[in-house]
């Protein structure tokens, strides 16, 4: 299985990446005509595989097999496992990257490869760079060292400064087809075709989310609970109550995801310092512990925002299904297991009402990326979603 098999439904992108990897190998062999872009921008909708594509290119560049991206050599395997010393995956669990951490990237970018053929920096969520942090790496993006590559990942080019995207070769990824994702889930998770197909539909072809749904059926139950909480209110008062319930659900799911990780992280940190369980933390180390706890708080804030955004995306999918039913379109639904509820809404709300609710959800997603009070944002949204038979 080559590294390119990981890019589902991205034939055009694979062709470009194969060519780039082949050019990189020729360039290292002394071919002066071989050129490979040293700064890339991978864009595409959530779940399209932006970071996967970046990782595949990194693996192909470090590949020692007969064809770049063989997937079997130590170079490919270590990159895909996240353990290659010359491939640095840079990410943040805060809402934005800090200037000081971005400056640290430059030290990495200007260091020579220690084991592989290239120094590769993969910046996930590059859209979280502020103008100040973006300016820090501009010169390196334009003129990196000969064997250094920058691979930036973001939802769209417009999410980055024009000075950043103008220095990068852009590669647009698309949402993978449901059938292709279904086959992948059957192979990876060992689930039936029906289970895999349902996960692919419900996730709206978001590869990572589809994997989670295929492996954990309870995740769909939590997803439906959140949807019904948002769609159940019959009055403004009930909408206000439901907003708090929805926030509590999101917090619960977020905490469950992070709790074990945070505990293990803290225990490992103390162990590395030679502290025994229950031993009092020495004063010189307390500042480091506080810093770790602050980092975990920032991670929790972002995790909650991501959880809420996932709920909002699910709501958009629900009203998309309502529109499909109203139009009598043969397009497959996103929520085939919720068609009774979808049909109920389709009979009671007109097209204008669906558009209004969709716009309200999109506005809530935009506000979620700012410092808006989360509870107030959810209250405003759910008031706009009050059931159509009682909204007036």
């Amino acid at each position: 299985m080559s590294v390119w098999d990981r890019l589902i439904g991205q034939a055009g992108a694979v062709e470009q990446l194969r060519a780039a990897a082949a050019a990189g190998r020729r360039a290292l062999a002394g071919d002066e005509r071989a050129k490979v872009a040293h700064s890339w921008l991978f864009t595409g909708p959530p779940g399209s595989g932006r970071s996967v594509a970046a990782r595949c290119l990194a693996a192909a560049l470090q590949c020692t097999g007969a064809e770049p991206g063989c997937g079997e050599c130590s170079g490919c395997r270590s990159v895909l496992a996240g353990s290659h010393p010359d491939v640095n995956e840079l990410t943040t669990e805060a809402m934005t990257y800090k200037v000081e951490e971005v400056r640290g990237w430059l030290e990495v970018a200007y260091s020579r490869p220690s084991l592989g053929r290239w120094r590769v920096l993969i910046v996930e969520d590059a859209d979280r760079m502020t103008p100040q942090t973006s300016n820090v790496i501009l010169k390196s993006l334009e003129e990196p060292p000969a064997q250094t590559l920058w691979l930036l990942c973001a939802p769209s080019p417009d999410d980055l400064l024009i000075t950043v995207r103008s220095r990068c070769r852009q590669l647009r990824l698309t949402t993978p087809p449901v059938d292709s994702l279904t086959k992948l889930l059957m192979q990876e998770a060992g689930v039936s075709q029906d289970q895999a197909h349902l996960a692919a539909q419900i996730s709206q072809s978001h590869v990572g989310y589809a994997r989670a749904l295929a492996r954990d059926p309870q995740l769909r139950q939590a997803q439906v609970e959140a949807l019904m909480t948002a769609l159940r209110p019959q009055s403004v008062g009930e909408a206000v109550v439901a907003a708090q319930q929805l926030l509590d659900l999101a917090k619960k799911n977020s905490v469950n995801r992070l709790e074990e990780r945070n505990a293990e992280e803290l225990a490992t940190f103390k162990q590395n310092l030679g502290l025994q369980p229950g031993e009092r933390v020495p004063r010189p180390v307390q500042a480091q512990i506080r810093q770790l706890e602050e980092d975990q708080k920032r991670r929790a804030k972002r995790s909650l925002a991501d959880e809420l955004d996932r709920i909002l995306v699910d709501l958009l999918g629900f009203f998309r299904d309502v529109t499909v039913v109203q139009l009598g379109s043969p397009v497959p639904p996103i929520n085939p297991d919720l068609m009774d509820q979808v049909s109920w809404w389709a009979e009671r709300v007109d097209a204008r009402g669906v558009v209004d609710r969709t716009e309200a959800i999109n506005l809530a997603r935009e506000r979620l990326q700012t410092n808006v009070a989360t509870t107030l944002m959810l209250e405003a949204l759910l008031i706009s979603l009050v059931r159509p038979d009682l909204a007036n």
Side-chain angles (χ1 to χ4, degrees), residues 102-113:
V102 175
R103 285 178 179 150
W105 300 351
L106 295 179
E107 296 181 18
V108 178
Y110 285 94
S111 62
R112 291 184 60 82

Side-chain angles (χ1 to χ4, degrees), residues 115-178:
L115 179 64
R117 305 175 173 196
W118 300 86
R119 170 71 62 185
V120 183
L121 295 93
I122 301 174
V123 183
E124 298 190 30
D125 298 321
D127 53 303
R128 293 181 184 268
M129 291 193 298
T130 63
Q132 291 78 13
T133 55
S134 297
N135 289 332
V136 172
I137 64 170
L138 282 182
K139 181 173 177 58
S140 185
L141 287 176
E142 187 170 9
E143 298 177 355
Q147 289 176 241
T148 293
L149 272 80
W150 288 92
L151 310 181
L152 311 184
C153 305
S156 76
D158 293 338
D159 293 321
L160 282 80
L161 293 179
I162 188 171
T163 50
V164 171
R165 60 179 187 260
S166 65
R167 287 164 167 78
C168 299
R169 175 174 175 177
Q170 298 185 29
L171 185 66
R172 174 73 179 177
L173 301 175
T174 59
T175 301
V178 169

